């Protein structure tokens, strides 16, 4: 999902992350070209023609005229990784994206912005703004540049990537990534199940504000890959309590009841992780067997294309090692 933080700030504004996958339908029908959508360049220049003009994107709030080839995009929600994956130039991102090491190295010129700092956004001179339907100052943002918003979790995570692709006139590229990702994830899932067994269970957890959270199959942190794409199983207790809402809060004292054969721990050094030093934790079979995989939470929250690629490699490395 999903933004945690999008767990926590997205339920809280949508997250305990993150980070989402709730709906099954598309929020838009795609983009149609306007009459002025092509610019000619000298054919002898050797350069690839760059499309100019505008297209009409059918967003969840209605048709919006957007650049056919956006050059300066500001992102005010969890979609930064999708845009990076599609090769779109991003000049401004929110604090969550800026704190993600995986994003930061691919955003050399971007600056941190928020929906409350309109002056800073104006200074960036964006030609497109992409955000969330619950962003503040949407009317003012729309005066700065065409603004496309999405309701978090309204469509599943792969459809969301496709929608981002449509909004920036890269639908074919987005679909190609989706097809390739699904194949890669399925293949890896088959390899993992062949090695560990079809009935092997995996738990995904995170610690926040002295509270433990376990996750269902659509709340970021790799859950979409593990459970949806690779078909790995979650423990019955997790399925019972977390599958419907996407996450479930527990105390560290009962963690052992929710941990399967393997534990993926989305870990933040800023949180209190002292529970890992307790005998209760150390006696959990997955812990005793060395089956705990720790991921950097700031890189693991979401389920955009860039993060999904990174999560997939994380699981390849930790489940299969050098195989």
């Amino acid at each position: 999902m999903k933004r945690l933080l999008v767990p926590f700030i997205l339920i809280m504004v949508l997250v305990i992350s993150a980070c989402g996958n709730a709906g099954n339908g598309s929020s838009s029908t795609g983009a149609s070209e306007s009459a002025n959508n092509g610019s000619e360049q000298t054919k002898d220049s050797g350069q690839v023609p760059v499309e100019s003009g505008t297209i009409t994107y059918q967003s969840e709030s209605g048709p919006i005229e957007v650049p056919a080839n956006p050059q300066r995009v500001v992102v005010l929600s969890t979609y930064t990784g999708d845009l990076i994956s599609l090769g779109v130039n991003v000049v401004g991102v929110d604090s969550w994206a800026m704190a993600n090491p995986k994003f930061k190295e691919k955003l050399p010129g971007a600056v941190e912005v928020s929906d409350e700092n309109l002056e800073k956004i104006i200074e960036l001179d964006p030609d497109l703004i992409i955000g969330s339907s619950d962003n503040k100052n949407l009317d003012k943002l729309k005066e700065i540049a065409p603004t496309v918003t999405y309701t978090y979790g309204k469509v599943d995570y792969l459809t969301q990537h496709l929608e981002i692709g449509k909004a920036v006139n890269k639908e074919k590229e987005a679909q190609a990534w989706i097809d390739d990702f699904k194949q890669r994830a399925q293949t890896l899932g088959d390899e993992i199940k062949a090695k560990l067994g079809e009935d092997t269970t995996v738990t995904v957890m995170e610690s926040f504000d002295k509270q433990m959270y376990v996750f269902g199959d659509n709340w970021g942190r790799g859950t979409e890959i593990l459970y949806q794409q690779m078909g790995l199983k979650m423990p019955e207790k997790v399925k019972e309590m977390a599958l419907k809402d996407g996450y479930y809060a527990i105390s560290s004292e009962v963690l052992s009841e929710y941990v399967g054969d393997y534990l993926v721990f989305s870990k933040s050094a800023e949180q209190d992780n002292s529970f890992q030093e307790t005998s209760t934790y150390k006696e959990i079979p997955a812990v005793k067997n060395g089956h705990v995989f720790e991921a950097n939470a700031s890189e693991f929250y979401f389920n955009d294309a860039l993060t999904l690629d990174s999560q997939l490699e994380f699981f390849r490395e930790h489940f299969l090692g050098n195989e």
Side-chain angles (χ1 to χ4, degrees), residues 37-87:
N37 70 348
S39 69
E40 293 190 3
Q41 295 189 355
T42 304
K43 294 182 179 180
D44 297 332
S45 67
Q47 295 179 332
V48 177
V50 176
E51 198 170 14
S52 65
T54 62
I55 59 172
T56 299
Y57 172 62
Q58 301 295 333
S59 77
E60 64 181 45
S61 59
I64 301 176
E65 189 172 347
V66 297
N69 182 40
Q71 297 294 301
R72 300 182 59 80
V73 180
V74 165
V75 190
L76 299 174
S77 192
T78 63
Y79 312 118
T80 298
D82 293 301
L83 291 161
I84 294 174
S85 177
L86 290 168

Side-chain angles (χ1 to χ4, degrees), residues 145-167:
T147 300
V148 174
T149 61
Y150 299 98
T151 299
Y152 185 79
K154 186 171 183 177
V155 298
D156 68 83
Y157 71 111
L158 294 180
T159 300
Q160 183 63 72
H161 181 66
L162 186 62
E163 288 302 314
I164 297 293
K166 292 176 182 178

Side-chain angles (χ1 to χ4, degrees), residues 129-148:
I129 298 172
I130 292 181
S132 171
S133 59
D134 63 358
N135 279 143
K136 299 176 182 177
N137 297 312
L138 284 177
D139 289 340
K140 294 180 179 178
L141 289 169
K142 292 174 183 177
E143 294 176 1
I144 299 172
T147 300
V148 174

